[in-house]
């Protein structure tokens, strides 16, 4: 089965809408997708099988006054029918290679301890598990 990876552009928007919440967490909001795709610090790698998007990895690169550029990998997803075919690890590697071209010196991603498939994909893509336990805090900014 042929899987092609590519950096998303506005030309991919209709295919992204079609993939919807089978691939993304929610249905695509076209105005937000356009904003994301037009932002040079946001990156979306798509995995296509023929004309269907079957996987994606999103991230952003950022700078900080005391650090070299870093790549934060935000989400990695593969639709159920295409899972366990090494697509997620390919997406992560592709995004990391792209981050390297952008000058990033480090990439990072977090996942839940219970998400064993994600952990396997990240290790297979060359990731190294940080032995330091982290605690995640979320802030509801809607109120």
């Amino acid at each position: 089965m042929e899987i092609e990876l590519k950096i998303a552009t506005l030309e991919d928007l209709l295919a992204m809408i079609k993939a919807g919440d089978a691939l993304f967490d929610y249905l695509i909001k076209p105005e937000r997708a356009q904003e994301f795709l037009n932002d040079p610090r946001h990156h979306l790698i798509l995995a296509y099988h023929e004309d269907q998007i079957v996987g994606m990895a999103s991230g952003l690169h950022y700078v900080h006054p005391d650090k070299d550029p870093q790549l934060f990998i935000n989400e990695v997803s593969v639709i159920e029918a295409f899972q366990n075919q090494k697509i997620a690890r390919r997406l992560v590697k592709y995004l990391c290679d792209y981050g390297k071209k952008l000058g990033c010196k480090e990439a990072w991603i977090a996942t839940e301890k219970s998400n064993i498939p994600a952990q396997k994909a990240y290790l297979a893509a060359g990731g190294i598990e940080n032995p330091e336990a982290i605690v995640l805090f979320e802030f509801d900014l809607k109120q």
Side-chain angles (χ1 to χ4, degrees), residues 84-139:
N84 299 311
Q85 297 180 37
K86 302 179 182 176
I87 296 170
R89 77 174 69 171
R90 286 183 59 203
L91 286 161
V92 170
K93 283 183 180 183
Y94 193 106
L95 186 54
C96 286
D97 287 343
Y98 187 66
K100 206 181 292 185
K101 290 177 187 173
L102 295 169
C104 294
K105 304 300 181 200
E106 181 178 60
W108 62 279
I109 187 170
T111 192
E112 297 81 8
K113 277 288 189 190
S114 62
N115 193 342
I116 302 302
Q119 292 176 48
K120 287 181 180 179
Y122 304 150
L123 287 169
I128 301 166
E129 184 177 350
N130 186 328
E132 179 82 22
I134 67 164
V135 179
L136 178 68
F137 292 90
E138 295 179 347
F139 297 87

Side-chain angles (χ1 to χ4, degrees), residues 39-124:
D39 188 322
R41 290 197 183 263
H42 286 89
H43 315 289
L44 181 63
I45 309 303
L46 300 174
Y48 272 93
H49 173 64
E50 298 172 356
D51 64 346
Q52 177 188 6
I53 298 174
V54 299
M56 68 88 179
S58 67
L60 62 101
H61 75 278
Y62 61 96
V63 295
H64 197 269
D66 64 336
K67 296 176 182 71
D68 288 324
Q70 295 186 10
L71 176 69
F72 165 60
I73 302 171
N74 187 41
E75 292 187 27
V76 179
S77 178
V78 176
I79 63 170
E80 192 171 342
F82 286 82
Q83 291 177 359
N84 299 311
Q85 297 180 37
K86 302 179 182 176
I87 296 170
R89 77 174 69 171
R90 286 183 59 203
L91 286 161
V92 170
K93 283 183 180 183
Y94 193 106
L95 186 54
C96 286
D97 287 343
Y98 187 66
K100 206 181 292 185
K101 290 177 187 173
L102 295 169
C104 294
K105 304 300 181 200
E106 181 178 60
W108 62 279
I109 187 170
T111 192
E112 297 81 8
K113 277 288 189 190
S114 62
N115 193 342
I116 302 302
Q119 292 176 48
K120 287 181 180 179
Y122 304 150
L123 287 169

